[in-house]
Amino acid sequence: DVKVTQSSRYLVKRTGEKVFLECVQDMDHENMFWYRQDPGLGLRLIYFSYDVKMKEKGDIPEGYSVSREKKERFSLILESASTNQTSMYLCASRENSGRIGELFFGEGSRLTVL
Amino acid sequence: RKEVEQDPGPFNVPEGATVAFNCTYSNSASQSFFWYRQDCRKEPKLLMSVYSSGNEDGRFTAQLNRASQYISLLIRDSKLSDSATYLCVVRAGTASKLTFGTGTRLQVTL
């Protein structure tokens, strides 16, 4: 089974802090994604990566950056956390071929910014 | 207008009922369509892809209407375990990007 692991299930940070959210997948997938999920807004794509050291902006990249130094790891960085970044963050991976719609998600990281 | 729109529900149905959800999409260039299921406080998981000719997987039937730009999900003989939020997902443009609807919540009761 594909396993996508997010390092922290729950985090509480203060405004202005730097936040790292880590995601690791064990199926050698080329594509990795970061979404945030908010009530009434659904899942919105922040950034994605289709290869090591490659990244593409999603729909809401402002206030975020990402890092993909190794194929299995995709990190989301909040340089200076703000209260409007309080959300559920979901990492996902997908292989390049096969069922192109099948994203495998991690369990999510619920971030609260005070 | 949102790229993908769904009725948020909740749909409250008794066990054994048949229930249908619709989802509309705005981009006529959309190429692939999917239904995901998300249980409470869990991550989304792929339920089924939606093919042009319509497709069935057990009690679940998915259909696509390109002319009217909507997809549907029909659940027959609802079970308590079907209670979840059903997310409509559309792929358009680049191969990587999937756009999610906000989901339709289903509650199946005794």
Side-chain angles (χ1 to χ4, degrees):
Chain A
D1 278 355
V2 174
K3 185 77 172 171
V4 179
T5 304
Q6 294 184 227
S7 54
S8 305
R9 292 293 305 278
Y10 301 94
L11 303 96
V12 179
K13 298 291 181 181
R14 295 202 176 277
T15 301
E17 280 193 80
K18 192 168 185 175
V19 182
F20 291 89
L21 299 178
E22 302 281 340
C23 175
V24 177
Q25 50 95 2
D26 65 358
M27 283 302 290
D28 203 35
H29 285 172
E30 292 84 1
N31 301 286
M32 296 188 74
F33 306 79
W34 276 106
Y35 288 86
R36 63 178 282 179
Q37 186 172 29
D38 301 286
L41 297 176
L43 278 86
R44 292 178 292 165
L45 181 63
I46 304 171
Y47 266 97
F48 65 97
S49 168
Y50 51 88
D51 203 351
V52 176
K53 296 193 186 293
M54 306 301 288
K55 61 185 179 184
E56 293 278 347
K57 291 180 180 179
D59 298 317
I60 51 164
E62 297 78 19
Y64 303 94
S65 62
V66 290
S67 172
R68 190 151 182 218
E69 296 296 317
K70 294 184 178 181
K71 191 175 185 180
E72 68 272 17
R73 187 181 296 270
F74 192 35
S75 303
L76 180 69
I77 303 151
L78 288 67
E79 292 288 342
S80 178
S82 61
T83 54
N84 62 13
Q85 291 178 310
T86 292
S87 186
M88 170 66 83
Y89 290 88
L90 289 159
C91 174
S93 73
R94 191 189 71 208
E95 61 183 10
N96 247 358
S97 58
R99 298 217 292 184
I100 202 163
E102 186 155 24
L103 290 174
F104 294 89
F105 284 89
E107 291 184 309
S109 298
R110 183 165 293 282
L111 171 67
T112 301
V113 182
L114 301 175
Chain B
R1 183 183 172 188
K2 288 183 180 177
E3 285 188 63
V4 179
E5 291 202 68
Q6 296 182 251
D7 181 342
F11 284 59
N12 294 300
V13 303
E15 258 194 314
T18 296
V19 62
F21 312 133
N22 282 340
C23 163
T24 59
Y25 59 94
S26 60
N27 187 343
S28 58
S30 297
Q31 298 170 354
S32 305
F33 310 89
F34 312 90
W35 285 101
Y36 274 68
R37 171 195 168 124
Q38 186 172 22
D39 293 309
C40 189
R41 300 186 185 281
K42 297 284 191 180
E43 71 275 19
K45 292 184 180 179
L46 179 67
L47 177 67
M48 60 196 300
S49 303
V50 186
Y51 302 121
S52 297
S53 54
N55 49 297
E56 206 172 286
D57 183 1
R59 297 181 292 107
F60 297 83
T61 301
Q63 292 197 311
L64 167 65
N65 184 319
R66 285 192 184 272
S68 300
Q69 293 184 202
Y70 76 83
I71 68 173
S72 63
L73 178 68
L74 181 80
I75 306 175
R76 289 181 300 278
D77 189 23
S78 299
K79 311 288 185 194
L80 292 174
S81 56
D82 294 333
S83 298
T85 297
Y86 291 84
L87 304 171
C88 172
V89 184
V90 173
R91 181 174 70 91
T94 65
S96 294
K97 183 181 172 184
L98 299 178
T99 301
F100 285 75
T102 53
T104 298
R105 193 154 67 89
L106 171 66
Q107 184 66 50
V108 181
T109 57
L110 287 170

